[in-house]
Amino acid sequence: MFHPGRTLRALLPPLVAGLALTALPAQSATAASTLTNGGFENDGSGTATPAGWSEHGDTAASYTESGGRDGGHRLSHWSSSAYKVETYQRLSGLAGGDYRLTAWVRSGGGQNAAYLALKNCGGAEQRTDLPVSDTGWIRIVVPVHVTGGRCTVGVTSDANAGDWINVDDLTLTRGTSGLPVKGADISSLPKSEARGGVYRTASGTAGDPVAILRSAGMNYARLKVWVDPADGYNDKAHVLALAKRIKAQGMKLLVDFHYSDSWADPGKQNKPAAWAGHGYEQLKKDVHDHTYDVLDALKRQGTTADMVQVGNEINGGTLWDEGSTDNWPQLAGLLNSGYDAVKAVSPSTVTALHLAEGGDLDGTRWWFDNAVSHGVRFDAIGLSYYGYWHGTLHDFQTTLDDAAGRYGKPVFVAETAYPFRLDSEDGLENIIDLDTELVPGYPASPTGQTRWMNDVASIVEAVPNGRGLGVFYWEATWTARAGNGWDPADPSSGNGWENQALFGYDDRVLPATAWFRHR
């Protein structure tokens, strides 16, 4: 986790979607085995009902206009008054099996609902909400299993006056999608519980937070490891104990090695005190032995790590100065030493490299191009993506897709989060506590937090060729407890993150945990 200083992001003016046109009588629904006019190019601008499509509801709010993603035109929903409209197409003659709808979308946000749907396909309706993106196009997908040969493709808005969406380049092809990993970092939990932290179900019953999160749909937990932390937490012993609880709930385990006694991130990659003064060759041995020791102990107690991060947010390298990106040959040697230790314990464990700045295309390319050219071995790529620091959702998708394709590796969000309120429960100012710091379209509320997580998950789900592994929410259990602050060396330090946990100030699990049930 990287804590940069406060930044005020400029609010982008909403894109004007155009003027609503008077609707023509709805055409009869198509009956074809392929999607017709998915790019909305057949009729030109100003068509009230696009060829091949039908409309229901406030039909004047649905029309084509110029400004397609890669062609001349797009579908838009907009009206100067509140509206509900669906633009849909009925397909028949489909062979049974799995299908995936892909579309490129933009949205100014603010709607009660705005989504793509596949329904009447023989099973439960499947939906994907449109992320808020008022400039760059974002690709989303909707999977469905078709039986009975029929399926309806729908674009739906339940919107307030002035709300708008753009949709373009819809395709329906054979295939599936979903997220294997729906996880959270719960490293703060043991210390919180030791300081009296309580976790409750939505109805208010106190319970085991690991079980509460598992029942919400969480299937993977992430734990950081420090070498010799000042407070004794996030060390080998505590990781082993919490791993037992995680595996007992049937969840998988990601172990995040910081190779430090405290936080490692792009701003600091400090050696553990025990390794201070060690030269490069000794540091390689330190990395190998520490990694092997923790992972072997996990394996011996029956809780083998399923995934491992060799370093945390290592944009500038690790174990400075020897492992800085100013010296790529040495950084490569340190990272490969960690990789070798992971595989020596468990060859099937996925070994990941983790960068921050998940919307930084050029920086991510620079880093991994160097890693590949220096022979760094890895199985997966993890990116931190905090929307209030790391660029737009469009930037994030561009970077994620590029990393997956350029390096041929699965990708995942190693960290993301969003506030459900702005005020602080303890005495420390929250890291995000101003409206001006929020991502436009995502309020600091339980609803905004839920929408953020679902939309990030939808972007990972849409990574081409099935390379989107999933998402980890960062520090779901770090609620405000005296003595469980950010500084392990200072018991009086506060927690600037409790407004981004997945448990509220009343200790109850929050609605945003619904994202764990994302496909």
Side-chain angles (χ1 to χ4, degrees):
M1 174 59 192
F2 176 39
H3 295 168
R6 251 179 229 296
T7 57
L8 299 179
R9 62 178 283 148
L11 299 179
L12 295 172
L15 181 70
V16 177
L19 298 176
L21 302 175
T22 303
L24 299 174
Q27 300 173 358
S28 60
T30 187
S33 60
T34 57
L35 197 63
T36 300
N37 193 22
F40 305 100
E41 301 295 342
N42 288 15
D43 314 287
S45 184
T47 301
T49 306
W53 295 84
S54 301
E55 296 171 345
H56 175 76
D58 298 315
T59 57
S62 173
Y63 51 91
T64 61
E65 61 179 350
S66 61
R69 184 186 72 91
D70 58 6
H73 302 90
R74 66 198 183 204
L75 174 71
S76 292
H77 285 179
W78 178 88
S79 178
S80 58
S81 57
Y83 64 94
K84 296 180 181 180
V85 68
E86 179 187 21
T87 308
Y88 65 94
Q89 188 170 150
R90 292 184 180 133
L91 304 178
S92 61
L94 294 171
D98 293 321
Y99 288 81
R100 182 175 60 244
L101 177 71
T102 302
W104 292 85
V105 302
R106 296 190 296 198
S107 171
Q111 300 91 348
N112 301 314
Y115 59 88
L116 301 184
L118 293 174
K119 59 185 181 179
N120 306 319
C121 306
E125 177 177 341
Q126 298 294 319
R127 294 181 179 180
T128 301
D129 292 333
L130 272 63
V132 179
S133 178
D134 59 6
T135 52
W137 292 90
I138 290 177
R139 185 184 61 256
I140 59 175
V141 298
V142 190
V144 76
H145 185 77
V146 173
T147 59
R150 296 180 180 275
C151 196
T152 299
V153 177
V155 181
T156 297
S157 294
D158 177 357
N160 303 297
D163 294 344
W164 62 268
I165 66 169
N166 299 150
V167 179
D168 204 2
D169 297 333
L170 292 98
T171 58
L172 185 69
T173 58
R174 298 302 292 263
T176 61
S177 66
L179 294 179
V181 175
K182 289 160 280 195
D185 193 307
I186 56 172
S187 300
S188 60
L189 181 57
K191 190 172 181 180
S192 174
E193 291 177 324
R195 299 296 186 273
V198 175
Y199 298 86
R200 302 182 184 278
T201 65
S203 62
T205 304
D208 176 2
V210 181
I212 292 171
L213 291 170
R214 180 69 182 108
S215 66
M218 177 172 149
N219 66 6
Y220 228 116
R222 178 180 186 256
L223 301 179
K224 66 172 172 280
V225 186
W226 290 337
V227 177
D228 187 19
D231 61 0
Y233 287 90
N234 299 297
D235 63 349
K236 173 184 170 183
H238 283 91
V239 167
L240 288 170
L242 189 49
K244 287 183 178 180
R245 295 171 62 183
I246 290 163
K247 291 283 188 168
Q249 291 292 335
M251 290 192 279
K252 292 186 176 182
L253 173 65
L254 164 60
V255 178
D256 171 20
F257 285 92
H258 282 227
Y259 302 117
S260 181
D261 291 337
S262 187
W263 303 101
D265 55 48
K268 51 189 178 297
Q269 294 283 336
N270 300 324
K271 295 188 191 77
W275 305 358
H278 289 186
Y280 169 62
E281 291 299 330
Q282 180 61 43
L283 287 171
K284 280 202 299 184
K285 186 175 188 303
D286 293 334
V287 168
H288 182 280
D289 292 353
H290 170 60
T291 305
Y292 186 93
D293 178 54
V294 173
L295 297 180
D296 184 59
L298 284 166
K299 181 180 179 180
R300 283 188 283 107
Q301 74 170 14
T303 60
T304 300
D306 301 282
M307 191 186 306
V308 169
Q309 284 179 214
V310 178
N312 186 78
E313 294 190 329
I314 53 175
N315 301 57
T318 187
L319 294 167
W320 290 345
D321 291 321
E322 286 79 358
S324 164
T325 49
D326 290 337
N327 192 333
W328 266 101
Q330 289 192 175
L331 174 56
L334 292 168
L335 296 176
N336 281 338
S337 186
Y339 177 93
D340 290 343
V342 175
K343 298 300 184 179
V345 173
S346 172
S348 63
T349 295
V350 175
T351 306
L353 297 176
H354 170 211
L355 300 186
E357 307 291 339
D360 181 4
L361 174 64
D362 292 341
T364 303
R365 276 187 176 181
W366 175 85
W367 199 96
F368 278 99
D369 281 357
N370 271 289
V372 170
S373 69
H374 287 89
V376 177
R377 297 187 291 278
F378 60 99
D379 304 322
I381 294 171
L383 299 176
S384 293
Y385 175 63
Y386 297 97
Y388 35 71
W389 294 328
H390 295 159
T392 66
L393 287 168
H394 173 76
D395 296 335
F396 165 55
Q397 181 168 74
T398 301
T399 305
L400 197 69
D401 290 355
D402 184 79
R406 189 176 182 89
Y407 309 107
K409 302 289 187 181
V411 295
F412 65 99
V413 176
E415 298 181 17
T416 191
Y418 206 77
F420 61 90
R421 59 195 293 171
L422 292 175
D423 61 314
S424 180
E425 188 180 5
D426 65 9
L428 182 66
E429 180 183 19
N430 289 330
I431 291 172
I432 301 298
D433 69 343
L434 299 174
D435 281 322
T436 50
E437 295 170 316
L438 299 173
V439 180
Y442 296 90
S445 67
T447 297
Q449 185 185 47
T450 304
R451 286 178 175 172
W452 176 259
M453 288 309 302
N454 275 317
D455 290 349
V456 168
S458 293
I459 288 173
V460 180
E461 181 184 23
V463 172
N465 300 312
R467 291 195 175 115
L469 276 182
V471 180
F472 288 91
Y473 194 93
W474 195 71
E475 280 294 10
T477 55
W478 200 6
T479 54
R481 297 301 304 177
N484 192 19
W486 68 270
D487 185 354
D490 180 5
S492 68
S493 64
N495 172 7
W497 203 258
E498 74 270 18
N499 68 325
Q500 299 194 64
L502 289 181
F503 290 85
Y505 291 4
D506 60 0
D507 300 325
R508 298 186 186 208
V509 70
L510 287 162
T513 52
W515 89 265
F516 289 127
R517 296 186 289 277
H518 196 96
R519 291 178 295 266

